[in-house]
């Protein structure tokens, strides 16, 4: 067992002062592919690859851990649009199976691809605004970087 740090932390006004981060603005900036902090620099260097840092304010994007959350959110969003639409069309109209597949599958594919990058940007903005996964100015001691 390692030795416990018994030195108490002393909280002062200065230690409590941190940069205020607007959650909705950060998510909106990320949704549009911009830096969550300044809203100016590009968040992505490729379709789903985040840049290393913001070209305007030098915010480091490498600690983000969006992982599979954007894909799950896109499935939920597109599913809530496509499934009720399919059910409504199929119960009210008689369409041939080939026409159904020719319409539903491409729409689902295109909608999923169109939403994937904006949703990932919003997740990165959420992580930055909530100081998650290394976006905190003072990371806790004893936790190795990922």
């Amino acid at each position: 067992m390692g030795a416990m740090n018994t030195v108490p932390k002393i909280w002062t006004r200065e230690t409590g002062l941190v940069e205020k981060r607007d959650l909705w603005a950060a998510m909106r900036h990320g949704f549009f592919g911009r830096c969550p902090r300044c809203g100016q620099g590009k968040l992505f260097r490729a379709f789903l690859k985040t840049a290393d840092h913001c070209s305007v304010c030098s915010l480091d994007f490498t600690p983000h851990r969006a992982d599979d959350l954007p894909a799950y959110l896109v499935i939920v969003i597109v599913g809530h649009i496509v499934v009720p639409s399919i059910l409504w069309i199929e119960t009210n109209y008689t369409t041939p199976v080939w026409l159904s597949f020719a319409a539903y599958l491409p729409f689902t594919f295109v909608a999923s691809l169109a939403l994937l990058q904006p949703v990932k940007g919003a997740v990165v903005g959420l992580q930055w605004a909530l100081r998650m996964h290394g976006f905190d100015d003072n990371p806790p001691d004893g936790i190795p970087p990922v």
Side-chain angles (χ1 to χ4, degrees):
M1 291 274 290
M4 295 277 300
N5 186 4
T6 58
V7 178
K9 288 188 178 182
I10 299 173
W11 296 99
T12 63
R13 180 180 298 256
E14 287 77 26
T15 59
L17 293 177
V18 293
E19 172 189 14
K20 293 191 180 218
R21 297 179 179 179
D22 184 13
L23 175 68
W24 299 112
M27 288 180 67
R28 184 178 63 249
H29 292 157
F31 186 83
F32 290 111
R34 297 292 172 195
C35 171
R37 180 194 288 163
C38 67
Q40 300 295 320
K42 288 186 175 184
L43 181 61
F44 296 100
R45 62 181 161 89
F47 180 62
L48 290 177
K49 298 280 187 191
T50 56
D52 293 331
H53 63 278
C54 176
S55 60
V56 177
C57 70
S58 299
L59 174 66
D60 184 19
F61 298 136
T62 55
H64 91 83
R65 296 288 176 259
D67 297 330
D68 292 335
L69 181 61
Y72 292 134
L73 293 176
V74 167
I75 290 169
V76 169
I77 293 168
V78 173
H80 277 80
I81 295 169
V82 170
V83 171
S85 301
I86 290 173
L87 290 174
W88 181 77
I89 291 171
E90 293 298 324
T91 56
N92 291 323
Y93 303 101
T94 306
T95 57
V97 174
W98 69 268
L99 182 61
S100 298
F101 281 125
Y104 303 145
L105 293 177
F107 175 78
T108 304
F109 180 73
V110 170
S112 298
L113 283 180
L115 281 176
L116 198 53
Q117 186 183 37
V119 170
K120 182 173 182 174
V123 168
V124 172
L126 173 83
Q127 291 176 351
W128 175 81
L130 296 179
R131 294 178 162 80
M132 297 169 66
H133 302 293
F135 283 120
D136 188 8
D137 297 329
N138 301 314
D141 295 332
I143 298 176
V146 180

